Amino acid sequence: MTMSKWAQRINPAVQNIPPSGIRKFFDLVAEMKGVISLGVGEPDFVTPWHIREACIYSLEKGYTMYTSNWGLLELREAVAAELQNTYNVQYNPRNEILITVGVSEALDLAMRALLQPGDEVLIPEPSYVSYAPCTTLAGGKPVFLPTSLDNGFQISADQVRAAITPNTRVLLLCYPNNPTGAVMEREELARIAEVAVEHDLVVISDEIYDRLTYVGQHTCMSSLPGMQERTILLNGFSKAYAMTGWRVGYAAGNPDFIGAMTKIHQYSMLCTPITGQMAALEALKNGRAGMRRMVEHYNRRRHLVVQAFKDMGVPCFEPGGAFYAFPQVSVTGLSSEQFAEELLKQEQVALVPGNAFGKSGEGFVRVSYAASIDDLSEAFRRMARFVRRCGVRPRVISAPSQISAARQEGICQTL
Amino acid sequence: MNNVEKEVLELLENNARLTAEEIAVMLNADAAEIKRIIRELEDRKAILGYITLVNWEKVGEEKVSALIEVRITPQRDVGFDAVAERIYRFPEVRSMRLMSGTYDLAVFLEGRSMREISNFVSTKLATIEGVVSTTTHFVLKAYKQDGVIMEDGEEDRRLVISP
Ligand SMILES: Cc1ncc(COP(=O)(O)O)c(C=O)c1O
């Protein structure tokens, strides 16, 4: 294929980033009517009113200027207090916390501050779509740690150790996980921490779903022995406080790391918008009760989702966190993309094919249960119909031979 | 009251149409147990009823409602309760509360017209023995009722697919 003159002028590092698997799907959905979407990676709640109202008030009072590059000191202090109270980790708000434009920016800053060409970053897979591209754009090389249904999509210390080469610099963690909903047990995390210390790895820990933990207690990576100095902790307001559009997150870490990230941030971003910071401050000050209520809602829906797949006969492990379920739709005999596409065309239910999150997501789809109970129930009714047409019998996991027989009989339409 | 009871009530308070099976799944409990709990709450009158919140304007029904501030004379032994009962037994009274402050009863009436309501106030309510005075405020517009915003423009505005 020949490239246009202007395309040739694009940096190959950018040129070579594959198109997002999600984008492709988005275009398909956009043309359809009556779609119930379980493909949304953000809360279905609108930001609680007291937070919105506090933001309006800040505008009335004329808070419309730049803030310090680091972010409002008051907000950094509130973040430090929150981390201290929740995980008993201490960060100095003056030089160990940086307020960023979402975890997205913080992740990019961390990669750019740490990586030199050829440095390897260990990334559990399936994983959030930004990790690999951010690594590549910063000159690093993503090395994936595949996880599977058998081990509940958790990585192990042995797996980390086995993947380490002389070039390995960073271990990226994301638990609770997007897209699988997996959480890590404290013991295994502690063993992974030991490996990180032993091999002098820096850990970037994206804990944006920490509050959305339903099984057991979330372990903050920097609370483990020896980890605070070598961890860049990323978190934000998007998920816990239903504040995705406000674009506020933060990074916490040792003064050298955070200082370096701030250097990039000050020249590329200058500062996080003050309006979002004001809202985030209100969320930390008065948002706890509202946040807990939202988490309770997600948890109830989580049970509904798990039960629905059980009833359909589609294997789905019980997610311990976030608001995603990751059922194994390969029992229908379809690939992730075929399943998502056919389900959308035949039953108007949108989800994200698992391979959008990496190779080991193949055979799965991501189902977001950040949706109303009514929408969830209707979506499951439609999905059950579809799955049955594909020859999967309720509550019985079909053997592969049965599936291919069903397909030959043409039960699964249009394929 | 135990925790499960409380959670069942909270769920039903927000959505009376949830089935016992759905509630059971959401709370990770047994469906028969949830059924039993609900029946028991109904027997105990902890659950008083399941009603539908209707916006009558949407179907072109004219309804007039009013808040009547009523001052009454308390009676020996029963206080406000006896007079209150004579008032709240009228079906025209949609809800009623005893208040602290400058008046005693906040009576919410609903009727088909202003005339119907003023008729009720002057011939029935004001004439009850023990009622000292009434002040009628007609409702011009309802914004929110029982926690539900009448004209909520906040529909789902999220992108259909996002990472
Ligand atoms: C794992 C993970 N990290 C980061 C983000 C981005 O968060 P933010 O809105 O703070 O940029 C998301 C959002 O989907 C996510 O799922």
Side-chain angles (χ1 to χ4, degrees):
Chain A
M1 202 175 71
T2 53
M3 260 192 237
S4 84
K5 175 179 153 202
W6 298 119
Q8 286 173 21
R9 298 283 286 272
I10 305 290
N11 175 353
V14 178
Q15 188 88 263
N16 295 336
I17 292 177
S20 152
I22 285 186
R23 183 75 232 169
K24 206 164 64 185
F25 217 67
F26 181 79
D27 295 338
L28 204 64
V29 177
E31 297 157 13
M32 302 191 60
K33 288 237 152 42
V35 174
I36 297 181
S37 182
L38 306 184
V40 191
E42 60 180 320
D44 59 318
F45 299 103
V46 178
T47 309
W49 178 251
H50 71 98
I51 297 174
R52 291 190 267 163
E53 201 276 335
C55 154
I56 296 167
Y57 181 72
S58 82
L59 288 173
E60 281 174 350
K61 289 285 150 190
Y63 286 95
T64 59
M65 59 290 288
Y66 293 134
T67 70
S68 144
N69 295 133
W70 302 80
L72 292 167
L73 180 59
E74 208 184 341
L75 177 57
R76 281 180 278 143
E77 283 169 348
V79 167
E82 179 84 356
L83 289 172
Q84 160 94 59
N85 294 338
T86 322
Y87 300 117
N88 201 21
V89 286
Q90 284 179 18
Y91 287 98
N92 183 344
R94 292 186 181 273
N95 60 0
E96 295 184 319
I97 291 172
L98 170 65
I99 306 297
T100 57
V101 178
V103 166
S104 303
E105 192 216 354
L107 174 73
D108 181 47
L109 293 177
M111 292 293 187
R112 288 208 270 164
L114 293 175
L115 297 182
Q116 294 180 40
D119 284 354
E120 290 175 3
V121 179
L122 301 180
I123 304 173
E125 193 200 57
S127 67
Y128 181 54
V129 295
S130 297
Y131 298 152
C134 275
T135 304
T136 315
L137 286 171
K141 184 175 160 226
V143 174
F144 297 106
L145 308 172
T147 63
S148 68
L149 184 61
D150 311 330
N151 52 13
F153 296 103
Q154 298 176 26
I155 55 166
S156 69
D158 292 340
Q159 197 182 4
V160 174
R161 188 179 284 113
I164 290 174
T165 73
N167 294 326
T168 309
R169 295 283 174 275
V170 174
L171 168 64
L172 198 153
L173 295 177
C174 172
Y175 295 98
N177 185 265
N178 176 8
T180 63
V183 294
M184 283 291 292
E185 272 146 33
R186 190 182 177 85
E187 293 71 35
E188 197 56 32
L189 261 191
R191 279 193 282 275
I192 290 170
E194 282 169 22
V195 176
V197 173
E198 197 181 309
H199 292 270
D200 202 18
L201 302 182
V202 173
V203 175
I204 299 177
S205 191
D206 177 353
E207 302 186 13
I208 193 162
Y209 292 103
D210 67 335
R211 297 295 190 168
L212 280 60
T213 298
Y214 317 107
V215 179
Q217 293 239 315
H218 176 75
T219 301
C220 175
M221 199 59 193
S222 35
S223 71
L224 292 171
M227 287 316 289
Q228 183 165 354
E229 57 172 353
R230 63 176 64 250
T231 300
I232 300 181
L233 174 63
L234 309 182
N235 207 333
F237 299 84
S238 289
K239 315 290 172 169
Y241 296 97
M243 289 178 66
T244 45
W246 300 82
R247 313 305 307 125
V248 191
Y250 59 86
N254 72 53
D256 292 315
F257 288 169
I258 296 300
M261 288 167 65
T262 305
K263 232 189 231 174
I264 306 173
H265 173 80
Q266 74 181 336
Y267 295 125
S268 56
M269 199 65 66
L270 211 164
C271 71
T272 301
I274 188 169
T275 311
Q277 293 193 56
M278 289 303 221
L281 186 57
E282 170 65 20
L284 284 185
K285 273 193 195 154
N286 298 311
R288 183 174 303 252
M291 182 255 289
R292 290 235 171 97
R293 265 197 300 280
M294 291 192 272
V295 173
E296 223 167 80
H297 280 284
Y298 296 134
N299 190 23
R300 288 168 182 163
R301 299 173 195 171
R302 183 179 71 105
H303 291 304
L304 279 180
V305 177
V306 172
Q307 185 64 42
F309 285 110
K310 214 185 259 174
D311 291 346
M312 279 180 232
V314 174
C316 176
F317 106 111
E318 186 180 323
F323 36 60
Y324 309 107
F326 208 58
Q328 189 175 30
V329 296
S330 55
V331 289
T332 57
L334 305 179
S335 73
S336 294
E337 285 195 25
Q338 285 171 329
F339 184 91
E341 218 173 302
E342 288 306 316
L343 180 67
L344 180 61
K345 283 187 193 148
Q346 295 182 27
E347 296 288 354
Q348 290 78 50
V349 174
L351 347 121
V352 181
N355 63 338
F357 306 96
K359 269 205 205 87
S360 37
E362 178 50 56
F364 297 84
V365 291
R366 190 192 70 177
V367 177
S368 161
Y369 50 87
S372 71
I373 302 264
D374 286 348
D375 278 358
L376 283 173
S377 304
E378 175 59 22
F380 294 142
R381 261 192 295 279
R382 297 182 187 184
M383 231 184 286
R385 261 198 317 249
F386 176 77
V387 163
R388 224 173 304 132
R389 278 205 298 278
C390 291
V392 178
R393 290 287 154 250
R395 284 183 187 273
V396 183
I397 299 167
S398 314
S401 59
Q402 283 176 298
I403 296 165
S404 50
R407 285 178 65 189
Q408 274 154 18
E409 285 162 30
I411 292 175
C412 200
Q413 297 167 354
T414 73
L415 274 169
Chain B
M1 184 173 64
N2 64 37
N3 238 351
V4 184
E5 271 183 7
K6 189 164 164 231
E7 289 195 76
V8 169
L9 286 174
E10 278 170 3
L11 282 170
L12 284 176
E13 192 181 28
N14 284 315
N15 183 357
R17 291 173 63 191
L18 287 175
T19 64
E21 284 76 16
E22 283 171 318
I23 294 175
V25 174
M26 281 193 266
L27 300 182
N28 212 6
D30 181 54
E33 172 69 3
I34 297 294
K35 272 201 191 110
R36 188 194 60 74
I37 287 175
I38 293 174
R39 202 173 318 119
E40 203 260 329
L41 286 166
E42 288 168 349
D43 291 347
R44 248 202 289 158
K45 300 264 191 247
I47 294 177
L48 290 164
Y50 303 87
I51 58 168
T52 305
L53 209 54
V54 182
N55 186 349
W56 285 103
E57 262 179 45
K58 290 277 175 192
V59 288
E61 245 331 273
E62 291 281 332
K63 293 237 180 196
V64 178
S65 45
L67 161 66
I68 324 293
E69 299 175 0
V70 182
R71 290 174 53 208
I72 56 179
T73 320
Q75 295 166 325
R76 192 175 180 91
D77 293 334
V78 289
F80 294 105
D81 293 352
V83 183
E85 181 169 359
R86 282 192 63 189
I87 298 172
Y88 66 64
R89 290 230 169 257
F90 283 105
E92 289 87 343
V93 175
R94 294 292 296 170
S95 65
M96 184 170 128
R97 293 175 168 86
L98 179 63
M99 312 293 288
S100 68
T102 54
Y103 63 95
D104 305 307
L105 299 174
V107 180
F108 289 88
L109 297 181
E110 203 171 82
R112 275 187 297 272
S113 64
M114 278 170 81
R115 181 206 286 284
E116 191 180 289
I117 286 183
S118 38
N119 221 359
F120 177 81
V121 172
S122 54
T123 63
K124 298 282 193 273
L125 222 171
T127 54
I128 290 172
E129 195 183 335
V131 169
V132 181
S133 73
T134 64
T135 313
T136 303
H137 307 273
F138 283 102
V139 173
L140 300 181
K141 182 170 180 177
Y143 290 103
K144 187 174 185 179
Q145 189 171 336
D146 294 331
V148 179
I149 296 172
M150 298 302 210
E151 294 280 351
D152 199 343
E154 280 187 358
E155 76 271 22
D156 195 344
R157 297 197 180 91
R158 297 174 297 166
L159 297 174
V160 199
I161 301 275
S162 61

